[in-house]
Amino acid sequence: MTLQLFLLRHGQTEFSRTNRFCGEIDPPLNAVGLRMADALADSHGATPWTAIYCSPRTRALQTATPLSQRARVPIQIDDGLREIAYGDWEGLTHDEVVARYPEAYTYWSHDPASRGTPGGETAFKVAARATPVIGHLRERYEDGRVLVVSHKATLRIIVCALLGMDVRLFRERISQPVGALTAFEITEAGARLTLHGDVSHLPADLRALEGT
């Protein structure tokens, strides 16, 4: 029995395009992001999905909806899949944060896993709520194809957990571009990474964009 687990980062927003801290704030997809969502549905809509799980944030739901409609598989929302909260830094660029919070930025950047932003979450807190979601999926679906639609930091943390890596490495060792798919095969023996940061389902003009 093998579970095919696919992890999808939502499509582009104006905040991802301009590389702003974006966790709890809830921007919608921009025009490019909507095209990414449609491209995903065009490429994978005929796939026999067993289930689709999604963060409650608008940008994630907008990304999942076209595929859900095409595949006729309902979206199941799980709050554990929401993005890491950035507190006082929400909506700011890195340069703005460095200028306004130089000491806090230096402190956080040396260990973003165990040191949260002012008023925000640590990566360990995200792991504590996100990895149980994956554990639930592993228990509920012994086989089939399950899609999880979430966010950059949350997915990088989940990937670290599935690979048995130290969560402290989530920012420096794991990438997850907008609209990209990462996949694991999960058996009784554990999780094996089979695809990472794949954007082959996107049109060529959407595969290398500004931002993050």
Side-chain angles (χ1 to χ4, degrees):
M1 303 287 259
T2 301
L3 171 63
Q4 305 286 336
L5 179 66
F6 291 82
L7 308 175
L8 174 71
R9 184 183 173 195
H10 63 78
Q12 189 187 78
T13 69
E14 285 306 301
F15 286 77
S16 69
R17 186 184 68 81
T18 54
N19 197 19
R20 294 178 179 272
F21 286 94
C22 181
E24 291 188 309
I25 53 177
D26 201 15
L29 298 181
N30 60 17
V32 168
L34 292 171
R35 284 184 62 202
M36 288 178 166
D38 287 338
L40 177 76
D42 290 341
S43 179
H44 295 289
T47 297
W49 294 102
T50 306
I52 299 173
Y53 282 75
C54 189
S55 157
R57 299 292 182 243
T58 298
R59 55 197 184 273
L61 287 166
Q62 285 182 307
T63 301
T65 294
L67 177 63
S68 169
Q69 293 173 339
R70 191 78 59 87
R72 297 184 180 180
V73 175
I75 296 171
Q76 301 184 61
I77 297 173
D78 196 307
D79 192 60
L81 297 173
R82 69 186 187 277
E83 179 62 304
I84 191 171
Y86 288 111
D88 296 344
W89 297 358
E90 295 274 354
L92 301 179
T93 66
H94 282 80
D95 288 345
E96 289 170 340
V97 167
V98 171
R100 298 184 195 182
Y101 305 90
E103 293 182 2
Y105 181 82
T106 298
Y107 177 78
W108 169 81
S109 64
H110 281 87
D111 187 1
S114 59
R115 299 173 182 177
T117 60
E121 289 182 291
T122 67
F124 288 126
K125 287 184 178 179
V126 176
R129 61 171 164 80
T131 55
V133 178
I134 304 304
H136 166 73
L137 298 181
R138 295 175 72 167
E139 292 176 0
R140 183 170 183 181
Y141 306 102
E142 292 184 351
D143 59 5
R145 299 169 67 91
V146 174
L147 177 68
V148 169
V149 184
S150 187
H151 307 268
K152 184 180 182 180
T154 301
L155 291 177
R156 292 157 100 183
I157 291 165
I158 289 172
V159 169
C160 281
L162 286 171
L163 292 175
M165 291 173 56
D166 188 337
V167 171
R168 291 181 179 87
L169 301 175
F170 83 101
R171 286 176 62 87
E172 60 185 87
R173 298 289 179 87
I174 307 295
S175 64
Q176 190 68 26
V178 287
L181 277 168
T182 291
F184 285 85
E185 289 183 348
I186 300 178
T187 66
E188 291 184 356
R192 182 175 69 175
L193 182 67
T194 58
L195 187 72
H196 180 69
D198 180 62
V199 292
S200 62
H201 56 280
L202 298 178
D205 64 316
L206 300 185
R207 295 178 188 174
L209 300 171
E210 59 185 340
T212 180

